Amino acid sequence: TQVHNPQTFAVEGVTAQFRRRDAASGEIQAQTTAPLLNRLPAGDALPLAAYFPPPLPPAYQVDAEILTALPIPEDTPRYLEAQVEDLHQTIAPDGLGVTLEGHVLLAPGITQPAQQVWVLGVAYDATGQVVGVRRWESTVPLAPGERLSFRLLVYSAGPPIARAEAWVEARP
């Protein structure tokens, strides 16, 4: 599922609780989770995933509830504006994996380097449902004006992948 930020400001510290209810017994299992990026921009959405170990009951219902989301002051020094450029995606012939390649650049006007750069790859099926997520973490800083290459593979946890997207988060 995805968590949406309907606010006019970015938020961080987002957490949610997934609950799985066994339709036969009524037993409820819960998992608390967070997105794979810290910052959720205004008006945007990020995937949330939770893992429930097997065995799965034959019939169950899942719901999710947002627990926390903290506003980020506009001029916070904790995040640097960055963007993904030249994103190429190659979906495997069986549709169960996608390779994302591209570059990360800091926004014009950013003068300090990013010590931490994360790229989040998200794979969707033909109906637009999230079927896979993976985060790539840079091992080197990104200086203003430079390009940082990335490559990551995202695998489907279910149906074939129809398309993929990438988000970036950079921190000083």
Side-chain angles (χ1 to χ4, degrees), residues 42-123:
D44 213 343
L46 288 174
L48 283 172
Y51 173 74
F52 289 94
L56 293 176
Y60 59 89
Q61 297 171 323
V62 175
D63 69 9
E65 175 184 19
I66 300 297
L67 299 176
T68 61
L70 306 170
I72 301 174
E74 278 190 40
D75 295 327
T76 184
R78 288 191 305 274
Y79 301 98
L80 300 172
E81 289 299 320
Q83 59 198 36
V84 172
E85 188 177 82
D86 302 324
L87 180 65
H88 297 283
Q89 57 181 292
T90 306
I91 298 174
D94 63 4
L96 298 180
V98 61
T99 300
L100 297 174
E101 297 178 272
H103 301 94
V104 175
L105 294 100
L106 294 174
I110 301 293
T111 58
Q112 75 183 112
Q115 300 299 321
Q116 180 183 68
V117 178
W118 291 346
V119 175
L120 176 64
V122 182

Side-chain angles (χ1 to χ4, degrees), residues 8 19 25 28 48 55 66 73 85 93 96 113 126 130 132 137 139 145 155:
T8 57
R19 291 177 295 271
S25 71
I28 296 174
L48 283 172
I66 300 297
E85 188 177 82
L96 298 180
V130 174
E137 299 179 10
T139 58
Y155 300 98

Side-chain angles (χ1 to χ4, degrees), residues 1-2 36 45-49 87 89-92 94-100 119-135 152-167:
T1 191
Q2 294 198 76
L36 292 173
L46 288 174
L48 283 172
L87 180 65
Q89 57 181 292
T90 306
I91 298 174
D94 63 4
L96 298 180
V98 61
T99 300
L100 297 174
V119 175
L120 176 64
V122 182
Y124 301 89
D125 68 11
T127 67
Q129 296 297 308
V130 174
V131 294
V133 295
R134 190 166 193 185
R135 183 174 73 193
L152 74 147
L153 285 88
V154 181
Y155 300 98
S156 174
I161 296 167
R163 66 181 181 86
E165 295 181 3
W167 284 270

Side-chain angles (χ1 to χ4, degrees), residues 103-106 140-149:
H103 301 94
V104 175
L105 294 100
L106 294 174
V140 297
L142 173 59
E146 291 184 1
R147 296 163 44 109
L148 179 64
S149 297

